[in-house]
Amino acid sequence: MKRKNNWTCLLLILVGIVLGGFIGSLFGSSWLNYGQTFGLTNPVTLDLGILVITFGLTIKITIASIIGVVIGIFIYRFI
């Protein structure tokens, strides 16, 4: 029996998220692009004098990205 690689699963899930987001943005205001955005709306800046670091993270979950994740997991199960 062949052992499956967890990195392959993670890669397929990330590809599903990216492709699902891309497909959702292609269809604009359709039901595929319906979702929720959460995270830091204004980036947090840490000024240390000689070094300035800016932190920011926003995640948008749409129906198309969820479908992409499901397809990625489905493909992983059959490889």
Side-chain angles (χ1 to χ4, degrees):
M1 185 167 135
K2 187 169 83 170
R3 185 177 179 277
K4 292 187 179 181
N5 190 351
N6 291 335
W7 290 107
T8 306
C9 182
L10 180 66
L11 180 67
L12 285 172
I13 289 173
L14 289 176
V15 167
I17 290 172
V18 170
L19 288 178
F22 178 70
I23 290 171
S25 67
L26 281 179
F27 288 103
S29 61
S30 73
W31 62 274
L32 287 173
N33 207 23
Y34 179 75
Q36 184 68 34
T37 302
F38 58 93
L40 297 172
T41 55
N42 296 325
V44 177
T45 303
L46 177 63
D47 188 357
L48 300 173
I50 61 169
L51 179 66
V52 177
I53 303 173
T54 304
F55 300 100
L57 177 68
T58 302
I59 298 174
K60 182 177 182 183
I61 298 176
T62 62
I63 298 209
S65 63
I66 292 172
I67 292 171
V69 168
V70 169
I71 291 172
I73 293 172
F74 184 75
I75 290 171
Y76 176 72
R77 290 183 57 86
F78 286 105
I79 17 182

